[in-house]
C-alpha cells in the first residue's frame, strides 16, 4: 500500500493505492474557482493553494482508506514535469513523510503516470500497447513496453490538444477551462456546420499541430473579411464547438490507429484530461470495435490530473527498486520527457527510474 501525491498543476490530490491497481482512497482539492477569474492557471496562486491544503488532504486520504500512517510502505510523488512551485509543494510533503517514517520515496513522471492510469481497476494490463497522452500541456504518442517504459513516437509541434480546446473556448467567449465546456456544448451542435482543417492528418507520422486549426476557427468566427461571421446565438456556438471537437478528435484518432498498425499491437490506450472528451472516447471505442483491438480507457476521473495514477506507476517503480534519493528535486520539464526529446522525433521516454537527466 502506498501513498501517492499529485501537485503538478492546479489539482492537489492524494491517493492510497495497493498493488498498482486497487484504489483504496482518493481525495483532492482544486483551485479552479480562484483561477477561473484569471482565465487560466496562475502559477503563484496554484502553488499557494497546494501549500494550504496538503496537510488536511493526507489526513483525509488516510481516513477514507481507514488506515493509519504506519500501514503505508512507500510514498510516490509527481516530480516532473509541471509548474515548479506546485511540484515543490507535493515533493516537499512526500519527502517529509518518507524521511520521517523511513519509507522509500518514488519519483513519478506525470506524463508516464497518465498512461499508467490504465492499470486502475484492472489487475491485468496487456503490454505492449500504443498510447496517446492528450492533456493541457502534452499531446504525444508512445509505445508502452511496461509501466513507465515508454518510447516516444511523436506528438504536437505547437499547441497541445487541451490547450487548443482552452484557446478555442476563449475565441468562442466560453469560460476556463474550455475543454469540458466545448465538449458539453458540442453535444447539441452540428459537427459539419463549419469547415475546419484536419492539420497533418495524412502526414504519415505522429506530428500534431493545432495552432492553425485554432486560427481557422477564429477566422470562421469573424467571417471572411468580416462578412458572414458565425452566428453568436446558442446554436451557432454549439455548431462551432461540435465542428472544432470533430476536427481535433479525427486527427488524434487517425494517428493512434497509425501507431498501432505500424507497431503491430492490438491494444490502444489514452490518458490525460482530453481523454474525458466524449467524442474522443466514442471514436476510440468505435475504432477498437472495428479493428478488434483492445481499448484501455481509464475512467474520466483518472484521465484528468489525479493522484491514483501516480500511485499506479509509483507502485511498479517501487517494485523495480527505482527509489529516489532524499535530495530529489522537482523539474519543470520531464527528466526525459517529450519536450526534451524534441517534438515529432523519436526518443526514449524512460520513466523506468525517472532520473535519467537529473
Ligand atoms: O491532464 P489534465 O487534467 O492536466 C494536464 O496535465 O494538463 O488536462 C487538462 C486539459 C485542459 O486543457 C482541459 O481543457 C482538457 O484537459 N479537458 C478536455 C476535457 N476535459 C478536460 N478537453 C476536451 N474535452 C473534455 N471533456
Ligand atoms: Zn496531466
Amino acid at each position: 500500500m502506498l501513498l501517492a501525491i499529485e501537485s503538478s498543476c492546479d489539482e492537489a490530490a492524494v491517493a492510497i493505492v495497493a498493488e498498482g491497481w486497487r484504489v483504496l482512497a482518493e481525495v483532492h482539492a482544486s483551485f479552479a474557482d480562484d483561477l477561473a477569474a484569471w482565465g487560466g492557471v496562475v502559477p503563484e496562486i496554484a502553488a499557494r493553494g497546494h501549500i494550504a491544503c496538503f496537510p488536511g488532504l493526507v489526513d483525509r486520504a488516510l481516513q477514507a482508506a481507514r488506515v493509519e500512517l504506519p500501514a503505508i510502505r512507500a510514498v510516490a510523488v509527481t516530480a516532473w514535469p509541471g509548474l515548479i512551485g506546485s511540484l515543490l509543494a507535493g515533493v516537499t510533503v512526500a519527502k517529509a513523510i518518507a524521511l520521517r517514517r523511513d519509507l522509500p520515496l518514488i519519483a513519478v513522471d506525470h506524463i508516464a503516470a497518465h498512461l499508467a492510469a490504465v492499470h486502475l481497476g484492472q489487475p491485468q494490463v496487456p503490454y505492449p500497447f500504443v498510447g496517446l497522452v492528450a492533456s493541457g500541456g502534452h499531446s504525444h504518442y508512445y509505445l508502452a513496453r511496461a509501466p513507465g517504459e515508454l518510447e516516444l513516437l511523436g506528438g504536437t509541434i505547437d499547441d497541445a490538444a487541451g490547450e487548443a480546446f482552452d484557446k478555442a473556448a476563449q475565441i468562442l467567449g466560453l469560460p476556463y477551462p474550455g475543454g469540458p465546456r466545448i465538449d458539453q456544448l458540442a453535444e447539441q451542435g452540428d459537427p459539419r456546420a463549419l469547415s475546419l482543417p484536419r492539420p497533418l492528418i495524412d502526414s504519415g507520422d505522429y506530428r500534431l499541430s493545432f495552432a492553425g486549426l485554432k486560427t481557422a476557427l477564429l477566422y470562421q468566427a469573424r467571417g471572411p473579411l468580416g462578412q458572414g461571421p458565425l452566428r453568436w446565438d446558442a446554436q451557432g456556438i454549439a455548431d462551432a464547438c461540435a465542428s472544432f471537437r470533430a476536427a481535433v478528435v479525427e486527427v488524434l484518432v487517425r494517428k493512434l490507429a497509425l501507431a498501432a498498425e505500424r507497431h503491430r499491437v492490438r491494444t490502444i490506450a489514452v490518458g490525460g484530461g482530453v481523454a474525458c472528451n466524449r467524442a474522443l472516447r466514442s471514436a476510440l471505442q468505435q475504432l477498437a470495435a472495428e479493428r478488434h483491438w483492445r481499448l484501455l480507457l481509464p475512467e474520466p476521473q483518472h484521465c484528468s490530473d489525479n493522484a491514483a495514477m501516480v500511485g499506479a506507476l509509483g507502485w511498479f517503480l517501487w517494485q523495480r527498486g527505482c527509489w529516489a534519493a532524499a535530495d530529489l528535486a522537482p523539474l519543470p520539464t520531464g527528466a526525459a520527457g517529450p519536450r526534451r526529446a524534441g517534438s515529432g522525433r523519436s526518443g526514449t521516454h524512460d520513466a523506468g527510474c525517472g532520473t535519467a537527466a537529473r
Side-chain angles (χ1 to χ4, degrees), residues 10-358:
D10 59 347
E11 188 88 356
V14 177
I16 296 175
V17 175
E19 295 148 32
W21 66 275
R22 279 197 303 130
V23 184
L24 304 180
E26 52 186 326
V27 295
H28 66 100
S30 152
F31 331 114
D33 292 346
D34 296 341
L35 300 171
W38 298 86
V41 179
V42 181
E44 282 300 318
I45 297 178
R48 280 158 210 252
H50 285 298
I51 291 167
C53 65
F54 261 122
L57 275 182
V58 172
D59 284 343
R60 270 177 52 205
L62 292 167
Q63 279 161 16
R66 297 172 192 273
V67 296
E68 306 274 337
L69 201 46
I72 300 294
R73 295 298 155 82
V75 184
V77 63
T78 298
W80 44 71
L83 299 173
I84 194 68
S86 295
L87 287 168
L88 263 170
V91 167
T92 306
V93 171
K95 278 188 188 177
I97 297 172
L99 284 173
R100 176 69 182 83
R101 305 208 65 89
D102 199 20
L103 297 175
L105 175 67
I106 318 295
V108 171
D109 179 298
H110 181 85
I111 306 304
H114 269 305
L115 273 190
V118 301
H119 285 272
L120 299 170
Q122 300 284 343
Q124 298 295 333
V125 168
Y127 282 89
F129 63 78
V130 291
L132 163 69
V133 180
S135 69
H138 294 78
S139 292
H140 287 81
Y141 296 94
Y142 297 92
L143 175 64
R145 295 201 168 86
E149 278 179 29
L150 309 179
E151 182 188 333
L152 174 64
L153 303 176
T156 182
I157 56 172
D158 42 54
D159 291 1
E163 187 181 356
F165 271 109
D166 293 338
K167 289 178 178 167
Q170 272 184 355
I171 292 171
L172 297 172
L174 303 172
Y176 171 86
R181 192 84 184 113
I182 290 192
D183 192 20
Q184 191 189 14
L185 294 175
E187 296 291 307
Q188 272 77 51
D190 174 5
R192 285 153 307 177
L194 267 59
S195 140
L196 292 172
R198 270 57 176 161
L200 296 175
I201 196 159
D202 290 318
S203 66
D205 57 20
Y206 307 109
R207 284 176 305 149
L208 297 167
S209 168
F210 295 116
L213 176 62
K214 223 172 46 192
T215 311
L217 177 72
L218 179 69
Y219 288 155
Q220 292 258 356
R222 285 188 189 151
L225 303 174
Q227 303 290 309
L230 181 74
R231 278 188 5 249
W232 288 94
D233 57 10
Q235 191 57 50
I237 304 249
D239 287 348
C241 290
S243 304
F244 187 82
R245 180 176 76 165
V248 174
V249 167
E250 199 178 321
V251 181
L252 291 177
V253 172
R254 176 81 68 90
K255 300 214 169 187
L256 187 60
L258 178 72
E261 284 159 13
R262 288 228 175 117
H263 291 276
R264 295 198 174 84
V265 296
R266 305 190 61 78
T267 307
I268 55 173
V270 69
V274 179
C276 296
N277 189 278
R278 280 174 265 192
L280 178 60
R281 295 175 82 84
S282 61
L284 289 174
Q285 276 158 341
Q286 198 182 332
L287 173 72
E290 278 168 17
R291 309 280 180 101
H292 304 289
W293 292 344
R294 178 156 173 201
L295 170 64
L296 305 173
L297 187 63
E299 294 297 314
Q301 80 264 23
H302 294 141
C303 290
S304 45
D305 287 351
N306 67 91
M309 68 181 193
V310 177
L313 181 51
W315 192 85
F316 290 102
L317 297 177
W318 175 29
Q319 301 302 302
R320 262 183 237 153
C322 297
W323 302 2
D327 65 352
L328 169 69
L331 291 170
T333 52
R339 291 279 152 106
R340 192 167 178 279
S343 300
R345 280 190 288 128
S346 288
T348 299
H349 180 91
D350 178 18
C353 284
T355 49
R358 289 181 57 217

